Amino acid sequence: MNLKHGKYLGVDYGDVRTGLAECDASGLIATGVGTLREGGMMHTAQRVARECSERGCVRIVVGLPKNMDGTEGERVKTVMAFIDLLRPLTDAEVVTYDERMSTMTAYRYLDATGTHGRRRKENIDTLSAQIILQDYIDKERNSAGK
């Protein structure tokens, strides 16, 4: 199966740190690309839009932090406010993806690899963005194959 895809940018938005990941143009592999510490929602939105443009991404996948029971709490409202700032700054399509388990998965991975302390804090947001994006592209690919 040969799907037309394009590069996507994955975003794990946070008030202090925002993790970023990108996938290759074929949509097979997500790779963490770093963590932003811009300070302020608008500055972060501007930086995400710039990263998207510089990387040639056609879609931005933003993790949506739903509660474990699937309801939407205060964090979802914050992320949606971020998305409202981001959309006018980019030509890329901006979509959300349920990220309920991404941070827990990232912590388990860092535990398994013995990553602790400062290194853990530096890597958790990027790894979470990578997990969000990989889950998204896997689901997209699996849906296209049906």
Side-chain angles (χ1 to χ4, degrees):
M1 176 183 352
N2 188 5
L3 298 175
K4 184 175 192 265
H5 197 278
K7 290 175 73 174
Y8 294 173
L9 185 69
V11 178
D12 181 29
Y13 176 77
D15 295 328
V16 177
R17 293 179 314 274
T18 297
L20 298 180
E22 72 177 353
C23 71
D24 59 318
S26 67
L28 292 175
I29 302 292
T31 305
V33 295
T35 301
L36 305 178
R37 293 170 186 81
E38 295 306 302
M41 192 181 288
M42 179 52 103
H43 287 114
T44 302
Q46 291 168 338
R47 179 70 186 278
V48 168
R50 189 167 61 245
E51 288 285 336
C52 179
S53 176
E54 290 172 0
R55 294 175 181 282
C57 295
V58 298
R59 183 175 294 162
I60 301 172
V61 180
V62 181
L64 196 62
K66 292 184 178 181
N67 296 323
M68 290 307 287
D69 65 2
T71 60
E72 297 182 358
E74 288 303 311
R75 285 303 305 160
V76 168
K77 291 177 186 174
T78 300
V79 170
M80 293 307 295
F82 167 75
I83 290 170
D84 288 342
L85 292 174
L86 177 61
R87 279 196 169 116
L89 301 174
T90 181
D91 292 330
E93 178 184 18
V94 179
V95 299
T96 61
Y97 187 74
D98 185 349
E99 69 161 55
R100 273 181 267 186
M101 302 302 287
S102 66
T103 302
M104 288 172 47
T105 301
Y107 276 119
R108 281 197 302 266
Y109 177 81
L110 293 174
D111 286 342
T113 59
T115 306
H116 301 286
R118 174 179 273 191
R119 288 198 46 199
R120 183 183 190 96
K121 192 172 186 176
E122 290 172 355
N123 290 307
I124 192 69
D125 301 295
T126 302
L127 183 55
S128 293
Q130 183 177 347
I131 291 166
I132 291 164
L133 185 56
Q134 188 66 56
D135 286 352
Y136 179 86
I137 61 179
D138 287 348
K139 183 175 181 182
E140 182 182 60
R141 189 174 48 253
N142 290 336
S143 295
K146 292 181 180 178

